[in-house]
Amino acid sequence: MIDSVHIIYVNNKTQQMWDISAITTNIVVKSFRHGRAGSAVMTIVKHEEVQWELGSHVFIKVDGKDLFRGRITMINQTQASLLSITVHDLLFYLVQNKETYVYHGKKASEVIEQICADKHIDIGTIEDTDHVIPVRTEDGQTLLDII
């Protein structure tokens, strides 16, 4: 049984933070085991103080534990007073973006750090892989496939 749900929204331009739990009327969270980004779709009652921005962060906690975190990818007005907000986890950016990377003498851990830095994806500690990849060209691959 769920006792509490807290939803925090952080505007990526102003860095203002709002607890939007009270103005969220519905939420559906989907997660997948392999190769697909998780998502949350929320129905929100419009509030004039909350400034919505694409790419801003949303954090969802259930009973004090992290359930979902991601960035806003879609904002739609469904009724005069309601918004539909779609949030995807950060895997979305790795699956949706195809890039070309050419690298010489890098470790896999360095490639991951470079891709995440390029796409402004926050990461924790990446274990050093020790093995150096002499030369590699990844042409038109998804970032997830490159990693």
Side-chain angles (χ1 to χ4, degrees):
M1 178 147 175
I2 295 174
D3 291 323
S4 66
V5 176
H6 287 91
I7 307 166
I8 304 299
Y9 164 65
V10 181
N11 183 296
N12 65 339
K13 289 187 179 174
T14 66
Q15 299 305 308
Q16 285 185 285
M17 183 183 321
W18 291 275
D19 182 339
I20 59 168
S21 307
I23 61 172
T24 303
T25 63
N26 188 45
I27 186 166
V28 176
V29 176
K30 293 181 181 178
S31 62
F32 303 95
R33 288 185 176 260
H34 182 68
R36 288 181 58 189
S39 64
V41 178
M42 304 178 293
T43 303
I44 308 284
V45 176
K46 283 177 68 173
H47 192 282
E48 59 189 51
E49 288 183 23
V50 181
Q51 302 166 10
W52 297 100
E53 293 285 341
L54 291 173
S56 293
H57 289 87
V58 174
F59 304 90
I60 302 170
K61 290 186 176 211
V62 174
D63 295 336
K65 296 180 182 171
D66 291 334
L67 173 69
F68 184 86
R69 64 175 47 204
R71 293 185 183 166
I72 295 175
T73 55
M74 192 179 318
I75 303 168
N76 291 317
Q77 185 164 342
T78 57
Q79 295 178 13
S81 63
L82 294 178
L83 297 172
S84 175
I85 307 287
T86 302
V87 181
H88 283 96
D89 64 25
L90 296 181
L91 186 59
F92 177 81
Y93 296 93
L94 299 177
V95 172
Q96 294 297 317
N97 287 298
K98 290 187 175 186
E99 300 281 343
T100 298
Y101 276 84
V102 178
Y103 45 93
H104 307 278
K106 286 197 174 204
K107 299 176 186 178
S109 53
E110 294 171 324
V111 173
I112 294 168
E113 290 167 344
Q114 177 184 351
I115 289 171
C116 291
D118 290 349
K119 294 300 174 188
H120 307 286
I121 297 173
D122 297 328
I123 57 173
T125 303
I126 302 290
E127 285 292 320
D128 187 349
T129 54
D130 291 329
H131 175 71
V132 175
I133 303 166
V135 177
R136 182 107 182 189
T137 299
E138 302 284 359
D139 188 21
Q141 299 295 315
T142 68
L143 296 176
L144 182 62
D145 288 339
I146 294 171
I147 290 174

